[in-house]
Amino acid sequence: MPEYSPTVLDHFQHPRNLGDLPDADAVAEVENPACGDRTRLAIRVRDGRIAAARFRTEGCPAAIAASSMTTELILGRTLEEAATLRDEDVATALGGLPRNKMHCSVLAEDVIQAVIEQYQANTR
Ligand code: FES
């Protein structure tokens, strides 16, 4: 296994907000074109803020840790704030990713953008 930070290992071994969200306001799924790994993110929005988030990721430890961290980073944020989150922010919050694993956090950024677009489409 590559040299993962303690935070990556913690989120990989104990993922936060794992699962489905039955009363989700939006759900999106994206694939990492670099490797084919996939992640799905569901959010519930109340008063313009992300009140709940759940994910399921089929992927490497870095992708699972990035998804888990993403749910923590977007909880309580407005959609506008969540939309500004970049893959580098997720990687930094994880204590860094090995250089050959930096592409794994792109999945997190892509799925946030996708779920916000889906929410906007659902409420239009
Ligand atoms: Fe595919 Fe990490 S190797 S997301």
Side-chain angles (χ1 to χ4, degrees):
M1 225 198 271
E3 272 300 297
Y4 286 125
S5 74
T7 310
V8 170
L9 292 174
D10 179 37
H11 277 261
F12 169 56
Q13 286 159 352
H14 310 284
R16 323 301 200 261
N17 304 303
L18 178 66
D20 302 313
L21 201 54
D23 55 347
D25 293 310
V27 183
E29 189 166 327
V30 299
E31 183 177 305
N32 190 331
C35 61
D37 288 350
R38 304 179 68 82
T39 191
R40 189 172 75 222
L41 179 64
I43 58 169
R44 190 187 310 139
V45 179
R46 293 291 176 271
D47 300 326
R49 291 186 183 271
I50 298 174
R54 296 277 188 283
F55 81 95
R56 283 196 188 278
T57 295
E58 292 169 26
C60 70
I64 290 167
S67 305
S68 170
M69 179 58 82
T70 295
T71 59
E72 293 218 309
L73 291 174
I74 63 174
L75 271 176
R77 292 205 187 188
T78 65
L79 294 175
E80 292 74 21
E81 289 166 349
T84 66
L85 201 70
R86 293 290 166 260
D87 56 318
E88 297 90 356
D89 302 323
V90 177
T92 301
L94 286 170
L97 285 171
R99 193 143 29 105
N100 65 344
K101 286 282 166 186
M102 281 304 290
H103 74 276
C104 306
S105 61
V106 172
L107 207 53
E109 178 180 322
D110 287 352
V111 81
I112 293 168
Q113 302 299 330
V115 83
I116 290 172
E117 278 171 28
Q118 188 60 52
Y119 178 79
Q120 287 163 344
N122 290 351
T123 54
R124 210 165 274 150

